[in-house]
Amino acid sequence: MTRPAARGGSRASADRLARLLNLVPYLLARPGIEIAEAAGDLGVTERQLREDLELLWVCGLPGYGPGDLIDMAFDGDRVTITYDAGIDRPLRLTPDEALALVVALRMLAETPGVANREAVERALAKIEDAGDLVGAPVAVRLPGDTRRVEALRAAVEGGKALRITYYTAARDETTDRVIDPLRMLMVGGRAYVEAWCRRAEAVRLFRADRIDAITELAEPATVPPQAVPHDLTEGVFRPSPDLPLITLRIGRSERWITEYYPCERVEAGDGDQWLVSLRVTDLGWARRFVLGLGPEATVVAPVELAEQVRATAAAALDAYAVPTPTAEPRQSEADPEIAPSGDPAVVGRTQ
């Protein structure tokens, strides 16, 4: 069993959905339009437009019977919408739908890295006004330390350099750095600041919840020309062939690894066991990762990682070992404390 690595197609699906939603009102306003002309207006090929029309034919209202689906008529290379399934009517939101949009937009407005916050605020104001939701008792808070995120966002917007104390989980160390912020990001529900790190002399991502201290410096952020933001469309961690590859044998209780981490290979082993191979930033992180797993996880490769895990586990067990108590010397007639006084053989002994 090999796990597919590609997860593309989501953007193409979203683009097609937007195109289909625009297609019906476009055709309603132009009955009998030629497919070639419509394709040119919509910026697609004739083949793509015909495929979209075939998909529209099976879209419509719940029930999905003959009277519920979008219908159209073809006359040679011309097309006319004969039933639009209500897409021509203006959208009407229920109170619950409007409130859900308000919550989503407020969350978006609080999300670091949003490019055009003013547009979000305007859309929010319109929906609140139209749905009579102005002043609705809805409070949105992002996970993590809001004050820390706000301080980072203020530094980014103000163009100031920062001195931070940062915990690097991969190396299990805390360092002091001076950074020149580039932008704020929200990836996987976590806030990050992307910045030029003067210590590493490279662009780095810093998780907000791992920044222990922040000091805004008086000097402006100075970002060198070679500082290029990361492409995070595939996530923060991007496995590459130059990173260490580890292989684990895992049981059923540890299969969550294959859903949480990008794996290069997942193969069925004996019984319920799987062989899982994945890239890691370094073996130090991998050692701590494996030690945190349950008893159904075993290191297969590399040998160096297996030895590190074994040595660390042995040291931990030694630390918890209970020392064997020292036996107390048994008192006897030879003990000077109870021996008859004046016995020269006894008085001369030492304990």
Side-chain angles (χ1 to χ4, degrees):
M1 170 176 69
T2 301
R3 187 183 184 83
R7 45 167 133 158
S10 59
R11 181 175 296 276
S13 298
D15 291 344
R16 191 177 192 189
L17 175 60
R19 191 168 64 245
L20 289 172
L21 292 174
N22 290 328
L23 183 56
V24 174
Y26 171 86
L27 294 177
L28 284 173
R30 298 164 180 83
I33 189 173
E34 290 187 356
I35 291 180
E37 181 183 350
D41 289 346
L42 297 171
V44 296
T45 64
E46 291 187 40
R47 177 181 176 181
Q48 181 63 67
L49 180 56
R50 290 183 186 276
E51 291 177 355
D52 289 346
L53 292 173
E54 290 175 2
L55 182 57
L56 277 179
W57 233 326
V58 293
C59 298
L61 300 172
Y64 307 108
D68 305 314
L69 300 177
I70 294 174
D71 200 3
M72 61 196 80
F74 290 91
D75 182 10
D77 285 338
R78 297 178 178 273
V79 60
T80 300
I81 296 288
T82 57
Y83 178 64
D84 56 37
I87 291 184
D88 65 323
R89 296 195 299 270
L91 178 64
R92 292 285 185 261
L93 298 176
T94 66
D96 288 344
E97 291 172 337
L99 188 58
L101 275 177
V102 167
V103 172
L105 286 170
R106 287 188 182 177
M107 177 67 79
L108 187 61
E110 293 297 321
T111 300
V114 174
N116 195 343
R117 233 192 216 170
E118 293 76 12
V120 175
E121 297 287 355
R122 289 196 300 270
L124 179 59
K126 290 179 180 178
I127 293 176
E128 288 180 332
D129 185 59
D132 195 22
L133 293 172
V134 177
V138 176
V140 175
R141 293 290 182 269
L142 294 175
D145 190 331
T146 304
R147 288 178 299 178
R148 183 184 294 123
V149 173
E150 286 299 327
L152 292 170
R153 180 161 30 191
V156 172
E157 294 175 352
K160 295 292 186 179
L162 295 175
R163 184 183 303 278
I164 63 173
T165 302
Y166 188 71
Y167 170 70
T168 304
R171 294 188 297 275
D172 191 25
E173 66 177 9
T174 300
T175 55
D176 291 324
R177 304 164 181 257
V178 175
I179 63 172
D180 301 294
L182 293 169
R183 58 177 177 166
M184 288 291 296
L185 300 163
M186 182 67 72
V187 183
R190 301 184 186 277
Y192 293 81
V193 58
E194 188 172 28
W196 174 263
C197 177
R198 299 184 188 178
R199 182 174 183 267
E201 295 186 347
V203 175
R204 292 288 186 264
L205 278 171
F206 300 97
R207 253 175 62 171
D209 60 346
R210 291 180 179 169
I211 298 177
D212 295 329
I214 305 173
T215 302
E216 185 175 301
L217 303 180
E219 60 182 285
T222 305
V223 180
Q226 66 269 30
V228 178
H230 293 93
D231 179 7
L232 301 178
T233 53
E234 296 298 324
V236 174
F237 177 69
R238 292 176 296 171
S240 59
D242 59 318
L243 293 176
L245 180 69
I246 68 171
T247 301
L248 307 177
R249 182 182 293 110
I250 62 173
R252 184 178 296 274
S253 63
E254 306 296 347
R255 290 183 181 178
W256 61 269
I257 294 173
T258 63
E259 301 296 331
Y260 194 82
Y261 295 97
C263 298
E264 286 199 1
R265 188 179 60 180
V266 178
E267 296 180 351
D270 298 334
D272 289 339
Q273 293 184 332
W274 285 2
L275 284 175
V276 178
S277 298
L278 64 155
R279 299 282 175 181
V280 297
T281 52
D282 57 46
L283 292 186
W285 180 91
R287 173 177 53 84
R288 294 190 298 277
F289 171 65
V290 173
L291 288 169
L293 299 176
E296 293 189 359
T298 305
V299 177
V300 176
V303 175
E304 179 186 356
L305 175 60
E307 292 175 348
Q308 290 181 8
V309 170
R310 187 182 299 109
T312 305
L317 290 174
D318 289 342
Y320 281 98
V322 179
T324 303
T326 304
E328 293 291 334
R330 189 173 60 180
Q331 290 182 333
S332 65
E333 293 182 356
D335 194 317
E337 293 183 2
I338 62 173
S341 59
D343 185 341
V346 173
V347 173
R349 293 177 184 171
T350 58
Q351 294 184 350

